[in-house]
Amino acid sequence: MRSTFTGNAGSYRFTLLAGAAAFALAVPGTAFAQDQDQDQQPDVEAPESSNVIIVTASKREQTLQETPISVSVTSGETLEQAQIRDVLDLQTVTPSLRVSQLQSASSTTFIIRGFGNGDNNFGIEPSVGVFIDGVFRSRSAAALSDLNMVQRIEVLNGPQSTLFGKNASAGVISVVTKEPQFEFGGQVEASYGNYNAVVLKGEITGPISENIAFSLDGSYNRRDGYATIVNLDEGVSDRNRWSARGQLLIEPTPDFKIRAIADYSKIDESCCQVSTLVAGPTAPAVFAVGGALDTDFFSYNTFLNQVPLNKVDNYGGSVQADWNVGSLTVTSITAYRELKNLQDQDVDFTSADIVSELRDQRVNTFTQELRITSDFDGPINFLLGGFYFDESIKQDSSLTTGTAARNFFTLLAQAAAGDPTFSFAGVEAPLGLPIGSIFSAGPLTAEQFSMDNTAKSVFGTIDFEPIDGLVFTAGFNYTDDKKNFALSQQAFDELANINPIDTFITLATSGAVTTANQFRALPAASQQALSTLAFTQCSASAPPPNCNPLLPLVGLSPFQFQPPFLNLPNAVEPGRTNDDKLTYLLRASYQFSNEVNAYFSYATGFKASSVNLSRDSRPVFGDYIPGPARSNILAPSSPISDAGLAVRNLGTGSRFAGPENAEVYELGVKAQWPGFGFNLALFDQTIKGFQSFLFTGTGFQLNNAGQQSVKGFELDSTINPTDGLVFTFAATYLDAVYDSFTESPVGDLSGLRPGGIPEWNLATSATYTYEFGSSGNRLVSRLDYSHESNTPINNGLPTFGSNPIFQREVNLVNASMMFQLQNGLEIGAWARNLFDDQYIITVFDGVAQAGTVSGYPSQPRTYGGIVRFKF
């Protein structure tokens, strides 16, 4: 069997060993590519190895063994054998990578070595950059299409800013798809599994003319939900998505080629299953207003008052041109993409009609990369590139209170006050509000967010080889990133627009004092008298007007959870960030023999500021200092207060998180002998100002951690003890700590291990190929196991606290068997999570339900059969 590997800087063909070594290995860091482009390039001999694979992790074509970077590679054939359909499944064969899908189908977080963020706050760019055919996908929702026609996936661990122009402070996921071929071929595939899962895939490629080739591919993926909304008798956590892509490869001369790609994908799903882990003291109120919830976390039953909706449209195109000029290769990649993401769901996660959220997001992105790469015979080679990024984001969102909201919050207020006779009507009447207006069914908030981001970067590396096998590398990246953002909100709830202290002072002064500046203009004696009266409880000894009859309303502040919003930009907050940074790489690598390479490197990384595009965006403390009981009038002097900008019940938080700055020391060894090979990397990685964020149920809290670090190692190995049998083993060990994080949402975490980062990640597999004589038919059987050691899911929750801290341990077994006929027909069966392992993905505070903890359970066992035909 011959496998051809093609890339940007040139094309090479390697003739691999036949037999067992010819099939793809399910190995992080070791893989084979499928047959492709066999009649396009002149043959060159492969090294004496059964594990030859060409990667472009360093923006050059190199064998995996020669690449002095900690990189895990999964081939397209392995993706087929292991039934890895999207990046969510990729983590089962790449132990340094963790991928989690949470609130919706489009809410996915990529984590490498314990570092990663992004999720479904579109103002937060991921620390792990995702590139598909060299094109940066700025939001995880744009990287969730089913993996089709993939040649390989490279996962680069640690900062990669000197090779990629945008956001690679924690690592990179690079998906490389197959180029069109000048020989006609393709494949079709159909799979059926439990939960009525139907997956259809197809690809076709061939020549249009002597110099032009094409390819078309598409996929359709539909599955019933594995969870049930009991009261609605509807499924949730389903699959309903499709994608299509067309490519042209134009080679007018042997030294010049153009690859054009256009793609479209659509998701229309009901996701994701949320279960109640702890039913807090508010649970009786849920049942009292006609709602219900299920506390059996892994029953996959839920109660909602509406079916969650998530629609994603993701489309765009790119043109890559490669021009070989002697020993130089010039590469240009131009791309434009659009992403539309719509979510509509019940966010109290009960069948009581309390509160729902609608979120409509649009992202338009243009990128341009230009680089030149040398391939000199002498001791010096270089890469020099530039990257331009221009993106606009718009978001319209809203919260809506349902028909049960008023009764629900009345019951909570009665419990909080210890007064079963309390009613909001008793609040509305003395304030002159319409009876029934507080928490009435209808709009609670409406938000309009936008952000424009432009970034320019120059990057490059230079290699110096003074003697054979010894290479010194220096690299750099200079990035200039600008963001302009605008946030506005309307708060419609009458209670949230009232502050009992400010209202009393305004009434006591007959409307003369409505701002802090007007209050400060009063004589000192008058200020003292008003302040005292505002906090004087009415009693027989202190009747009105010598008291504040509204003072008891201060106890209702927990119910003002969506107060008015200070729009920006404003006179104090300009609504912009401007970051620039020079990062660099220093590395030495040495080839001790044909079998053993080693390297040592020091690299820095950078990610620009991220913006909190959520209703929890608040001025930073210092720009504004709230007064007692969130009073604006009694607030101390601050820029926002002095400018007269403060709105009712204004609090503090953050508008954005500053840049991340990463550095890593890494020592690596890569070795390959007949029948055995391994890659080992030891690292000490630190990110200063890590952009930590916490989902609150209706928004996000965003903060910079002072410093987070991790020490550890990554190992992957392959053993081929006999023809047809291959064992793989990969392990990642992480010793992570918050070196400094004094202002987290749950208190000072300095010196503690960050939640959600397991100490051990393991991935191992066994693959056996049985050849049926000389018929060309074979049976390929595969069994793999992935493990995450028991670890706290987080460091606590803002409302629930940290008693207990919930734990997660993962033990997944996947299996497949495929009978491959010589004529191209393949028939098989597969199972993922074979033993139905159950674990908690993550948890969060219940929305408007203090003491309640909700979370996401893992996906249950899935299995099915598959038929594939290659031609």
Side-chain angles (χ1 to χ4, degrees):
M1 174 179 172
R2 298 192 314 177
S3 292
T4 302
F5 304 88
T6 63
N8 299 337
S11 300
Y12 303 88
R13 169 174 294 168
F14 288 86
T15 304
L16 302 184
L17 300 180
F23 63 84
L25 303 180
V27 192
T30 312
F32 293 94
Q34 297 185 48
D35 287 345
Q36 55 182 304
D37 199 18
Q38 294 185 358
D39 299 317
Q40 286 298 293
Q41 313 296 338
D43 286 354
V44 296
E45 292 188 3
E48 293 293 327
S49 167
S50 65
N51 290 335
V52 177
I53 182 170
I54 297 298
V55 297
T56 52
S58 60
K59 294 291 183 78
R60 301 171 181 272
E61 288 187 329
Q62 295 177 293
T63 67
L64 180 62
Q65 185 183 356
E66 293 171 336
T67 303
I69 298 173
S70 178
V71 54
S72 301
V73 182
T74 305
S75 74
E77 197 165 353
T78 298
L79 299 176
E80 289 182 349
Q81 289 182 349
Q83 286 296 297
I84 295 173
R85 295 205 174 100
D86 56 33
V87 289
L88 285 171
D89 296 332
L90 185 63
Q91 61 189 323
T92 60
V93 294
T94 308
S96 286
L97 174 68
R98 183 166 178 265
V99 187
S100 59
Q101 184 181 68
L102 302 177
Q103 186 180 4
S104 65
S106 58
S107 303
T108 301
T109 300
F110 305 110
I111 299 171
I112 293 178
R113 291 179 176 172
F115 297 107
N117 50 26
D119 203 58
N120 58 342
N121 186 329
F122 273 24
I124 305 174
E125 297 178 77
S127 298
V128 175
V130 178
F131 293 78
I132 299 180
D133 291 320
V135 176
F136 178 54
R137 301 294 180 93
S138 65
R139 298 297 180 277
S140 61
L144 296 177
S145 300
D146 286 357
L147 299 173
N148 202 30
M149 208 170 170
V150 173
Q151 178 176 324
R152 67 182 180 274
I153 299 177
E154 303 173 7
V155 178
L156 286 66
N157 304 318
Q160 305 295 330
S161 297
T162 61
L163 292 171
F164 294 85
K166 185 70 172 172
N167 286 3
S169 61
V172 163
I173 301 171
S174 178
V175 180
V176 181
T177 66
K178 303 176 201 172
E179 290 186 345
Q181 304 297 298
F182 285 90
E183 181 177 343
F184 181 76
Q187 68 178 52
V188 291
E189 173 186 314
S191 175
Y192 181 79
N194 60 331
Y195 303 108
N196 290 317
V198 176
V199 177
L200 304 175
K201 289 185 178 183
E203 61 186 69
I204 187 171
T205 186
I208 295 177
S209 69
E210 182 180 356
N211 298 318
I212 303 176
F214 81 98
S215 69
L216 296 171
D217 68 88
S219 67
Y220 171 74
N221 187 344
R222 189 201 61 79
R223 184 197 69 208
D224 292 344
Y226 59 75
T228 302
I229 306 174
V230 177
N231 57 298
L232 299 180
D233 193 24
E234 295 277 358
V236 68
S237 288
D238 62 0
R239 275 285 186 269
N240 184 20
R241 56 183 63 181
W242 63 269
S243 66
R245 178 175 52 178
Q247 298 188 63
L248 285 177
L249 180 64
I250 305 170
E251 295 187 348
T253 73
D255 295 321
F256 183 66
K257 71 174 182 180
I258 299 173
R259 183 186 184 188
I261 305 173
D263 66 272
Y264 184 94
S265 65
K266 186 175 184 64
I267 296 174
D268 185 357
E269 296 177 354
S270 172
C271 186
C272 296
Q273 164 67 10
V274 173
S275 297
T276 302
L277 194 61
V278 176
T282 60
V286 172
F287 287 92
V289 297
L293 50 84
D294 190 333
T295 55
D296 183 352
F297 192 79
F298 292 106
S299 69
Y300 299 102
N301 289 329
T302 190
F303 290 84
L304 302 171
N305 66 281
Q306 68 179 77
V307 178
L309 170 70
N310 188 201
K311 294 185 177 182
V312 181
D313 291 276
N314 175 33
Y315 51 90
S318 66
V319 176
Q320 176 172 333
D322 296 286
W323 182 29
N324 295 326
V325 186
S327 298
L328 300 177
T329 299
V330 179
T331 298
S332 170
I333 304 176
T334 306
Y336 177 77
R337 304 203 59 80
E338 293 191 5
L339 172 67
K340 299 177 181 178
N341 182 46
L342 177 67
Q343 298 174 210
D344 187 5
Q345 65 182 141
D346 175 0
V347 293
D348 60 79
F349 303 110
T350 73
S351 57
D353 187 9
I354 299 172
V355 61
S356 62
E357 181 187 31
L358 176 68
R359 192 181 306 173
D360 185 4
Q361 300 164 312
R362 288 90 63 201
V363 183
N364 298 336
T365 309
F366 172 81
T367 59
Q368 173 65 57
E369 181 174 346
L370 181 66
R371 66 177 184 266
I372 182 169
T373 309
S374 72
D375 187 19
F376 299 135
D377 292 331
I380 296 178
N381 276 286
F382 71 90
L383 178 151
L384 181 64
F387 182 80
Y388 176 75
F389 176 87
D390 189 348
E391 181 172 82
S392 65
I393 298 174
K394 295 186 182 300
Q395 173 176 318
D396 296 311
S397 56
S398 62
L399 290 175
T400 301
T401 43
T403 55
R406 183 177 174 91
N407 289 338
F408 174 75
F409 288 116
T410 296
L411 292 171
L412 296 190
Q414 289 174 350
D419 179 5
T421 66
F422 172 86
S423 72
F424 285 113
V427 176
E428 293 158 343
L431 293 175
L433 298 175
I435 300 300
S437 59
I438 295 177
F439 290 123
S440 59
L444 180 65
T445 69
E447 298 86 28
Q448 304 82 37
F449 304 147
S450 65
M451 184 174 77
D452 294 321
N453 181 197
T454 59
K456 304 171 186 176
S457 65
V458 179
F459 59 92
T461 60
I462 185 166
D463 296 329
F464 174 55
E465 187 174 7
I467 61 173
D468 285 347
L470 178 63
V471 178
F472 296 103
T473 301
F476 79 98
N477 178 304
Y478 175 76
T479 295
D480 182 27
D481 184 282
K482 295 182 175 64
K483 293 183 174 73
N484 292 280
F485 50 96
L487 294 82
S488 62
Q489 184 206 56
Q490 299 79 48
F492 301 111
D493 180 56
E494 287 78 4
L495 181 62
N497 283 274
I498 293 170
N499 183 281
I501 304 302
D502 291 345
T503 301
F504 170 78
I505 293 175
T506 299
L507 292 173
T509 58
S510 301
V513 176
T514 59
T515 69
N517 288 334
Q518 291 170 339
F519 180 78
R520 294 173 198 146
L522 297 175
S526 298
Q527 293 183 39
Q528 181 62 45
L530 284 170
S531 298
T532 300
L533 285 175
F535 285 93
T536 299
Q537 183 76 41
C538 291
S539 64
S541 60
N546 299 317
C547 64
N548 181 1
L550 302 178
L551 189 60
L553 300 185
V554 172
L556 296 178
S557 60
F559 299 94
Q560 298 173 315
F561 59 90
Q562 291 301 324
F565 187 92
L566 178 58
N567 297 343
L568 83 160
N570 54 57
V572 175
E573 302 172 295
R576 63 174 179 267
T577 64
N578 190 351
D579 307 309
D580 68 298
K581 185 72 174 181
L582 176 67
T583 57
Y584 58 93
L585 161 73
L586 298 173
R587 182 175 60 224
S589 61
Y590 185 66
Q591 182 177 345
F592 289 92
S593 66
N594 289 334
E595 294 79 22
V596 180
N597 289 7
Y599 67 90
F600 176 78
S601 65
Y602 172 77
T604 62
F606 168 74
K607 189 181 86 165
S609 299
S610 285
V611 178
N612 192 4
L613 293 184
S614 89
R615 57 183 62 89
D616 282 340
S617 174
R618 298 283 186 269
V620 67
F621 186 84
D623 282 352
Y624 180 67
I625 304 173
R630 296 197 295 182
S631 167
N632 294 339
I633 293 177
L634 300 182
S637 176
S638 67
I640 287 176
S641 180
D642 296 348
L645 298 173
V647 295
R648 292 290 191 197
N649 298 309
L650 180 62
T652 59
S654 68
R655 297 294 199 180
F656 61 89
E660 293 180 355
N661 292 285
E663 68 173 4
V664 60
Y665 295 88
E666 187 167 302
L667 175 65
V669 178
K670 299 190 175 189
Q672 186 67 57
W673 296 276
F676 174 69
F678 76 90
N679 299 326
L680 174 66
L682 292 81
F683 55 86
D684 184 350
Q685 186 170 333
T686 300
I687 292 187
K688 296 179 180 179
F690 180 71
Q691 295 167 0
S692 174
F693 74 102
L694 184 69
F695 176 55
T696 64
T698 59
F700 298 86
Q701 294 184 28
L702 177 64
N703 301 84
N704 283 106
Q707 181 171 296
Q708 180 178 335
S709 63
V710 61
K711 298 179 177 68
F713 67 83
E714 293 154 339
L715 169 71
D716 63 71
S717 59
T718 310
I719 303 174
N720 186 192
T722 184
D723 287 350
L725 179 62
V726 177
F727 296 106
T728 73
F729 176 78
T732 296
Y733 171 77
L734 301 174
D735 181 11
V737 65
Y738 282 124
D739 301 298
S740 173
F741 194 6
T742 59
E743 297 182 3
S744 86
V746 292
D748 187 355
L749 299 179
S750 302
L752 300 180
R753 183 183 182 90
I757 302 177
E759 190 173 20
W760 287 97
N761 292 265
L762 307 177
T764 185
S765 72
T767 308
Y768 182 67
T769 300
Y770 179 77
E771 303 279 354
F772 292 87
S774 59
S775 65
N777 302 331
R778 62 182 187 173
L779 181 68
V780 180
S781 303
R782 167 192 168 84
L783 186 70
D784 67 66
Y785 167 71
S786 63
H787 167 73
E788 292 181 16
S789 60
N790 193 29
T791 187
I793 292 175
N794 54 33
N795 294 97
L797 296 170
T799 301
F800 181 78
S802 56
N803 186 21
I805 294 287
F806 301 99
Q807 305 281 316
R808 177 184 64 240
E809 180 176 337
V810 179
N811 293 281
L812 293 178
V813 176
N814 307 307
S816 67
M817 182 175 290
M818 184 69 70
F819 182 49
Q820 300 175 341
L821 281 71
Q822 189 272 340
N823 63 5
L825 180 65
E826 301 179 2
I827 303 173
W830 56 270
R832 295 193 63 81
N833 192 10
L834 181 63
F835 297 118
D836 205 20
D837 184 41
Q838 296 178 333
Y839 55 92
I840 305 169
I841 298 175
T842 193
V843 297
F844 58 93
D845 281 319
V847 177
Q849 301 169 71
T852 291
V853 178
S854 301
Y856 299 94
S858 58
Q859 181 172 303
R861 174 176 47 234
T862 55
Y863 53 86
I866 185 171
V867 178
R868 183 184 298 126
F869 181 66
K870 297 182 178 181
F871 55 91

